Amino acid sequence: MNDELERFYPEETLVEKVQSGVFGWLGYVTHHSKAWKQEYEQYCRLRELPMNDGTAERFLQMKQKELEEAIANGDA
């Protein structure tokens, strides 16, 4: 498999890549972590959605909501 497909970056690097136009939201999600990549793939597969910037952005919104709920519940 292509190394670039399995390369993961720190949050700061991902933000820089999105801001500079190197990555869209799909690149952000799939290069965040192996766990996020697998979770996103399952998210799309279960909903029969394409893997693209739009669904990646919705996935990120879902992850943000999960984090906010965990913080509110004292779990994060």
Side-chain angles (χ1 to χ4, degrees), residues 1-8 30-31 34 37 41:
M1 179 171 268
N2 185 335
D3 286 344
E4 189 63 26
L5 294 177
E6 285 297 320
R7 177 175 265 169
F8 303 107
T30 58
H31 293 282
K34 187 172 188 170
K37 183 177 179 185
E41 289 170 352

Side-chain angles (χ1 to χ4, degrees), residues 18-68:
V18 169
Q19 289 176 341
S20 67
V22 173
F23 282 169
W25 293 121
L26 179 61
Y28 183 97
V29 169
T30 58
H31 293 282
H32 183 277
S33 66
K34 187 172 188 170
W36 268 33
K37 183 177 179 185
Q38 291 172 342
E39 189 176 343
Y40 172 66
E41 289 170 352
Q42 182 178 23
Y43 171 89
C44 290
R45 189 171 47 254
L46 292 175
R47 291 163 179 80
E48 297 182 355
L49 297 171
M51 291 178 60
N52 59 32
D53 283 335
T55 58
E57 186 174 12
R58 284 187 283 185
F59 175 80
L60 283 169
Q61 291 167 351
M62 180 190 76
K63 296 302 283 180
Q64 181 64 34
K65 185 175 180 184
E66 287 176 0
L67 176 61
E68 290 169 1

